[in-house]
Amino acid sequence: MQYLLATGRMHGFESLGKRRFLLALDFTGGIEEVLSQPFRLRFTTAGGAEDHTPDFLVLLDGAAALIDVRPGHLVRDETWRSSPPPSGRRPRPGGAMWW
């Protein structure tokens, strides 16, 4: 569990990468709420039905972001290219992915 000053409570994580993300997030400012694994997305692709549980839902001042934290070798190139972050800037591979 990682305590965040921004929310005043503990948040769960599954890896050291996710823990580091939570720690960095606490320093960004403007965070209203953080939810770990908030829900399961179910969708259909050309390959069939799939599902995915995002790592975090972050509520910011006037915005929300679904975030996945992955090691760089687990980020598929086609996903990286087709999912631009809301800011228009991409984090480095191995960082957070915006959905």
Side-chain angles (χ1 to χ4, degrees), residues 75-92:
V75 178
R76 296 186 311 229
D77 286 342
E78 64 273 10
T79 301
W80 189 248
R81 284 192 293 269
S82 66
S83 303
S87 66
R89 293 177 292 152
R90 295 188 185 278
R92 291 180 297 129

Side-chain angles (χ1 to χ4, degrees), residues 34-56:
V34 177
L35 301 172
S36 299
Q37 296 185 332
F39 50 80
R40 181 187 301 174
L41 296 168
R42 293 186 179 158
F43 52 95
T44 304
T45 67
E50 295 189 32
D51 61 68
H52 175 73
T53 303
D55 291 323
F56 302 102

Side-chain angles (χ1 to χ4, degrees), residues 8-80:
R9 61 187 178 82
M10 303 290 280
H11 297 272
F13 59 89
E14 296 178 327
S15 70
L16 292 177
K18 292 175 177 93
R19 179 176 181 247
R20 285 190 296 266
F21 170 78
L22 288 171
L23 182 61
L25 186 66
D26 209 15
F27 285 91
T28 62
I31 304 298
E32 294 179 358
E33 184 60 82
V34 177
L35 301 172
S36 299
Q37 296 185 332
F39 50 80
R40 181 187 301 174
L41 296 168
R42 293 186 179 158
F43 52 95
T44 304
T45 67
E50 295 189 32
D51 61 68
H52 175 73
T53 303
D55 291 323
F56 302 102
L57 173 62
V58 179
L59 302 179
L60 306 156
D61 186 26
L66 276 178
I67 299 174
D68 272 331
V69 179
R70 298 274 186 268
H73 70 278
L74 294 180
V75 178
R76 296 186 311 229
D77 286 342
E78 64 273 10
T79 301
W80 189 248

